[in-house]
Amino acid sequence: MQRQIQVSGTWSGLVTLLTFSDRIEHEFKLSPDERYLMRLVVEEIASNIIKYGYSESHTGPIQLECRYHNDTLQLIIRDQGCPFDLREHPPPDLNHTSAAECDLGGLGIFFVRELVDQISYTHDPQSGWNELTVTKGRLPMTESLLREVSFFRELPLDALRSLAETITYRQLKAGALLFAEGEEGHECFIVLEGNVDVLTYVNGNELRLDTFGAGHIVGEMALIDRSPRSATVRAVTDSNLIALGEEAFKTLLRSNPDLAMQLLSSGSARVREANRRMIAGLERKNAELTDAYRQLQAMQTELVRLNRLEEELAVARRIQTSFLPKHLPQPEGWQLTAMSREAQAVGGDFFDCIELPDQLLGLVVADACGKGVTAALFVALTRSLLRAASLAPRVFQCADQQDAEAILADALWLVNDYLCREHGDNTMFITLFYGLLDPRTGILAYVNAGHNPPLIVDGARATLGETELGSMPLGILSDQQYDVQHTVINPGCRLVMFSDGITEALDAHGEMFGEGRLREVLTNNATLAAPALMQGIIEAVDRHIDGAAQSDDITMLVVSRM
């Protein structure tokens, strides 16, 4: 197909050209990328001819010829203005100049050269005619397929092409496994067609956690926190998927930071839906369990329901345990140890150690209000949000203490904003201590969001120091600003982070263990290594409660600089 038009080299002529190109887009049935390219070329090249090729005293015609054959678009623009070969025009210096500061004409020409496949230019000195020809073939099949996936729809073309070179496709027959629980995870997957089940196994019994269809991403958490697969994924129907490796996943996030928020929002929505379904299911089964206890002697078969509930609680307990780090990093000259002991089947405390760029370690101890399943679900949501916010693309450029402060403040603001906005009416909140430790210097930048202030034990002097009190807990007030404090962990010192399950542990008479006893234990054991110091605290708490039921979750993270 071929169409052409001639207009005057004026701004009114440009309007006529754009109207003509709009008509050609529909007539040729161009793709969205081809329509964008056609409008960019016509508008940028014609504007440059009018502004620089012609003048008020000398104007002339502009001819536009459009050809489309075998999925290849060719645009030919002719004029009799000043000669200009855009191929020789130097590109804008985007490394030292922002896009807003660049000359608009130069930036437009740069985009035209980047987006087309071929450019040719001729000038006839005798007739004075200039002829510019640009050619563009349709996107390769891989890139076209990626454009159909919502995650990549807004991705820049160069980033899309780079990504297309690294991804692989995976075809699964119905019943085939994509990956198994406990495996190391080095890829995440996006479902193009079909459906997959997310499964786990308890005592040999298979339990289905969820089903995902086209457009969903699975397995991304293994790339975020580098933990083994927490579930098995199996194809329900014949399915086609895209596989993204760790580098491709990072490239995707760096190229489109908004996508990180989209993934966070998508993941949060899935966690929220899973929370809703789990809470609804457990509430229903709790009601059934109460009735089963009343009729236990008359209805022995109700024991089956108890077994089912135990299986589901075992799943929740195992999933929650998998969230805790299985191995803590041990930087040279440092020793880290931690523990968490629930008061019920599942707990409302957690600790974490997030390995960040530039050797920084994110140290976290948190305590959700309440205990049991509700608190455990709130902890799972908070922990996932905090990790995702801390490992957002901007963190990959972390280089100094000022960036560490930004990571703390931004991550806690984002988590608090989400909790207040999405869960504020649930009267749930969580206290949290989050510190960023530089093992090379011992400098600790931290935010205390309503948590027990950690204690610093000086082994050389057998003395105690206390970190600063903090701000409001997360989930209470939106737009809360979190001030970053600083301290130094000197050689021979230990940082002891703990939940209130330590100080508020009750004996049979209702007397608390108290901070005084904790300080005494720390002072008497100031020179012990981190594991022995933590064990001494737990033994002192257990001696105090003397067999009484544990009243609250107990969590501790001890960091020792040798």
Side-chain angles (χ1 to χ4, degrees):
M1 291 183 287
Q2 180 175 338
R3 300 289 185 272
Q4 60 184 14
I5 187 175
Q6 177 171 308
V7 299
S8 63
T10 61
W11 296 115
S12 60
L14 175 60
V15 174
T16 304
L17 279 179
L18 293 176
T19 302
F20 174 76
S21 67
D22 288 341
R23 187 169 72 250
I24 293 300
E25 291 172 6
H26 296 288
E27 186 176 343
F28 286 3
K29 297 180 180 179
L30 301 181
S31 69
D33 289 328
E34 291 166 336
R35 291 198 297 270
Y36 172 78
L37 176 64
M38 182 170 182
R39 190 165 189 91
L40 176 67
V41 170
V42 171
E43 187 167 359
E44 289 296 331
I45 301 304
S47 295
N48 275 276
I49 293 172
I50 296 168
K51 289 176 64 176
Y52 307 114
Y54 292 129
S55 64
E56 293 184 0
S57 60
H58 170 65
T59 186
I62 298 178
Q63 295 179 356
L64 171 63
E65 183 177 342
C66 304
R67 301 174 182 174
Y68 192 69
H69 182 67
N70 290 336
D71 290 336
T72 298
L73 176 65
Q74 190 174 68
L75 302 176
I76 304 171
I77 300 178
R78 304 181 183 92
D79 71 275
Q80 290 184 307
C82 295
F84 175 69
D85 188 348
L86 63 81
R87 298 173 301 178
E88 300 176 355
H89 188 70
D93 186 3
L94 297 179
N95 291 325
H96 300 91
T97 307
S98 68
E101 297 171 327
C102 289
D103 177 72
L104 292 180
L107 195 59
I109 289 174
F110 170 75
F111 287 141
V112 169
R113 289 192 311 203
E114 288 296 309
L115 292 177
V116 301
D117 294 329
Q118 185 176 0
I119 299 176
S120 65
Y121 172 80
T122 60
H123 171 69
D124 184 358
Q126 293 184 346
S127 64
W129 281 100
N130 305 299
E131 182 174 286
L132 173 71
T133 304
V134 297
T135 305
K136 176 67 177 177
R138 178 155 287 185
L139 284 173
M141 182 60 67
T142 299
E143 298 170 31
S144 299
L145 283 175
L146 290 182
R147 275 286 189 234
E148 299 301 317
V149 180
S150 61
F151 290 109
F152 309 112
R153 198 160 290 152
E154 301 301 326
L155 206 62
L157 186 61
D158 56 343
L160 186 71
R161 286 173 172 164
S162 175
L163 195 63
E165 295 175 358
T166 62
I167 67 168
T168 58
Y169 289 91
R170 186 72 59 86
Q171 291 182 325
L172 292 180
K173 293 292 185 182
L177 292 185
L178 180 61
F179 53 76
E181 182 176 351
E183 290 181 351
E184 292 295 322
H186 303 291
E187 295 176 307
C188 66
F189 302 88
I190 298 174
V191 182
L192 295 179
E193 295 178 316
N195 295 284
V196 296
D197 276 343
V198 181
L199 310 166
T200 190
Y201 298 86
V202 178
N203 298 328
N205 297 319
E206 179 180 287
L207 294 178
R208 181 172 60 85
L209 301 177
D210 212 335
T211 299
F212 293 139
H216 283 277
I217 185 169
V218 293
E220 74 276 16
M221 290 309 298
L223 299 183
I224 292 177
D225 59 13
R226 297 175 181 174
S227 60
R229 305 290 190 188
S230 59
T232 295
V233 174
R234 185 178 65 204
V236 180
T237 61
D238 290 351
S239 302
N240 294 320
L241 306 95
I242 292 174
L244 295 177
E246 184 173 355
E247 289 304 317
F249 186 68
K250 290 180 180 178
T251 298
L252 180 62
L253 294 181
R254 291 192 190 100
S255 301
N256 189 356
D258 289 339
L259 182 60
M261 291 301 298
Q262 183 181 349
L263 285 175
L264 177 60
S265 176
S266 174
S268 298
R270 282 159 48 185
V271 170
R272 186 166 61 249
E273 176 60 17
N275 289 350
R276 185 193 65 78
R277 291 171 56 186
M278 183 175 287
I279 290 173
L282 290 176
E283 286 176 346
R284 182 177 66 254
K285 288 177 174 60
N286 280 338
E288 295 172 354
L289 181 60
T290 301
D291 184 62
Y293 271 119
R294 288 198 301 263
Q295 303 178 41
L296 182 59
Q297 291 181 345
M299 300 177 63
Q300 189 67 25
T301 56
E302 286 296 315
L303 288 175
V304 174
R305 295 185 185 273
L306 287 173
N307 290 334
R308 290 291 300 274
L309 180 59
E310 285 297 325
E311 289 176 354
E312 294 201 13
L313 286 175
V315 172
R317 186 163 49 245
R318 196 165 83 243
I319 291 176
Q320 185 178 38
T321 301
S322 71
F323 284 161
L324 299 176
K326 293 178 175 58
H327 304 286
L328 294 177
Q330 304 292 328
E332 184 177 356
W334 293 81
Q335 194 173 42
L336 281 75
T337 188
M339 60 81 63
S340 187
R341 191 170 74 189
E342 305 86 2
Q344 298 184 7
V346 287
D349 288 3
F350 79 92
F351 68 88
D352 206 351
C353 185
I354 307 171
E355 296 186 72
L356 297 168
D358 203 32
Q359 302 181 40
L360 294 181
L361 293 180
L363 308 173
V364 183
V365 173
D367 183 3
C369 67
K371 295 181 287 295
V373 172
T374 302
L377 293 174
F378 202 69
V379 159
L381 174 62
T382 303
R383 183 256 186 191
S384 297
L385 288 171
L386 185 62
R387 263 190 169 267
S390 299
L391 293 168
R394 63 174 302 284
V395 176
F396 291 115
Q397 284 80 40
C398 175
D400 53 37
Q401 196 64 29
Q402 185 175 0
D403 283 333
E405 294 185 11
I407 295 172
L408 286 169
D410 292 351
L412 290 181
W413 183 92
L414 188 147
V415 175
N416 179 67
D417 179 71
Y418 181 88
L419 294 179
C420 290
R421 183 161 36 85
E422 300 294 335
H423 301 278
D425 55 353
N426 294 334
T427 66
M428 291 292 294
F429 64 87
I430 187 165
T431 68
L432 178 142
F433 178 88
Y434 187 11
L436 287 189
L437 174 66
D438 188 340
R440 297 164 298 185
T441 63
I443 294 176
L444 178 74
Y446 65 88
V447 170
N448 189 336
H451 198 74
N452 301 75
L455 299 173
I456 299 176
V457 185
D458 188 333
R461 300 180 179 87
T463 58
L464 294 180
E466 186 172 282
T467 55
E468 297 291 332
L469 292 172
S471 311
M472 294 285 287
L474 305 181
I476 295 181
L477 293 176
S478 60
D479 261 345
Q480 172 74 38
Q481 299 300 318
Y482 292 95
D483 296 327
V484 178
Q485 309 290 337
H486 298 85
T487 190
V488 178
I489 312 300
N490 291 311
C493 290
R494 294 112 172 92
L495 176 68
V496 181
M497 294 162 278
F498 57 93
S499 66
D500 59 12
I502 297 284
T503 54
E504 297 179 6
L506 300 174
D507 65 10
H509 306 289
E511 182 180 354
M512 290 185 181
F513 180 72
E515 189 166 320
R517 288 188 176 91
L518 174 59
R519 288 174 174 271
E520 182 181 353
V521 173
L522 292 175
T523 302
N524 293 340
N525 297 276
T527 59
L528 293 182
L533 180 61
M534 184 178 71
Q535 184 62 31
I537 296 171
I538 297 303
E539 290 176 355
V541 170
D542 288 342
R543 283 195 302 270
H544 173 76
I545 63 177
D546 193 24
Q550 185 176 321
S551 58
D552 198 359
D553 303 321
I554 292 175
T555 298
M556 195 181 320
L557 175 58
V558 179
V559 179
S560 174
R561 186 175 185 183
M562 295 179 286

